[in-house]
Amino acid sequence: ETFATEEAVCRMGQAQRTHLSPHADGSATLDPSYGGASNGGQRISLSTQAHQCTVRLSGTETFATEGAVCRMGQAKRTHLSPRADGSAALDPSYGGFGGFAGWLVMLAIAFISLSGCEQQVAPRGPVYADAPAARAERVYRLAVHPLHNPAKLLQAYQPLADHLNAGLQGRLPGIRVEVEASRDYPEFERKFRQREPEFLLPNPWQSLEAMKSGYRVLAMAGDAADFKGLFIVRRDAPIRDIADLRGKAVAYPSPTALAACIMPQWLMHTQGIDVNRDIENRYVGSQESAIMNAYLGHTAAGVTWPPPWRAFVKAQPEKAAQLKVLRETPPLINNAVMARDNVPREVSEAVAALLIELHLQPAGREILAGMETARFHAATDADYDVVREFVARFEAEVRPVDVRTPAKVAP
């Protein structure tokens, strides 16, 4: 199954997700940081000629995944269900096509070399059918909030999706879960506010917001004790306590990151620091960016939380050796796993059971280790009331959480 988003996209010779950065002249650069482009940085020309599935960008980021798909004149996300004869049915349940749901788009799924600039598709236009094609399986998307950049997040969470799919086949055949990454916090929050994914793994504040859009809590991801903020500084910096951050710049992933922004700002507030005046707050888009801002000296500190910090230490030990944890915040409750309210009860219960049992199996513990998560715990909406109380006090004394502040990225 393949998704068409915003514009036509082409498979770039890799099964992994490939990130294309657009340029004004109609070309794009393959970005290796997102995975899938073995010769990252190569520039490719783009066009949309008749019966060719090529890439056309208009100032937005586009992802190429798994198969060649062509834009059919809609900007909304459109789901294409593949068929054995190489065609694909347009699935109206995902939006974007309205009355065209019975059309079939013919796809030529062919590997291409990354040294080329186009992918040829068999010269066949849309094929009309009297009724929508039957779907072989139902796909449920699990959108995970931006713990990492999209490539790293997919690498960490794809084994979980594989485990869920194997377990669901034994309980509810014909159902499949796909992990969905987002480029930043605002994009992830837009998705659940528009009720796009069936399942979510949001942070606790986002969990409260998702409840307003009709999602309910199935489980908690990780131990509550692991949900805390970490102030990261260089070992050679003259910073001995958070009081030394007064008058300096601090990097956070997002103003809505609970453990990696809101809780640390509350701690500074309780220590007599006015975070709105005494600190230059820079919202840099991701956990890794916050850490790297501290490493590069762009900010006096970078704020994150334990799973991304542990992943950074493992992936980049030489850089991590030059950093240290200056201070931790007290813990709260960990991230939630949520289901949209129209997901069938038997599906959401099966997913919750598979998650909660995951730590009981050796293979499951390996999956959890890859996600830097101890285990999944049973949880409900009521367990997140403590977050509602904390956020209410934070907003009364510090600032609104959802401040739509543009990111101030260090040069």
Side-chain angles (χ1 to χ4, degrees), residues 191-202:
K191 288 177 181 178
F192 70 68
R193 287 189 171 110
Q194 295 185 6
R195 292 173 53 83
E196 291 180 1
E198 290 79 9
F199 292 97
L200 300 175
L201 202 162

Side-chain angles (χ1 to χ4, degrees), residues 3-82:
F3 294 97
T5 61
E6 297 182 347
E7 297 286 347
V9 295
C10 279
R11 186 165 196 241
M12 302 307 297
Q14 295 281 343
Q16 296 185 57
R17 180 176 294 230
T18 299
H19 181 265
L20 307 176
S21 297
H23 301 287
D25 63 359
S27 66
T29 298
L30 304 181
D31 184 351
S33 69
Y34 285 80
S38 60
N39 63 337
Q42 177 180 343
R43 202 172 172 93
I44 60 171
S45 62
L46 311 170
S47 63
T48 50
Q49 301 176 15
H51 306 307
Q52 292 179 344
C53 185
T54 57
V55 183
R56 187 73 179 176
L57 299 168
S58 58
T60 58
E61 294 184 331
T62 301
F63 293 96
T65 63
E66 296 189 356
V69 296
C70 286
R71 183 174 188 246
M72 302 302 297
Q74 294 284 344
K76 294 173 66 177
R77 176 181 292 251
T78 299
H79 182 264
L80 307 178
S81 297

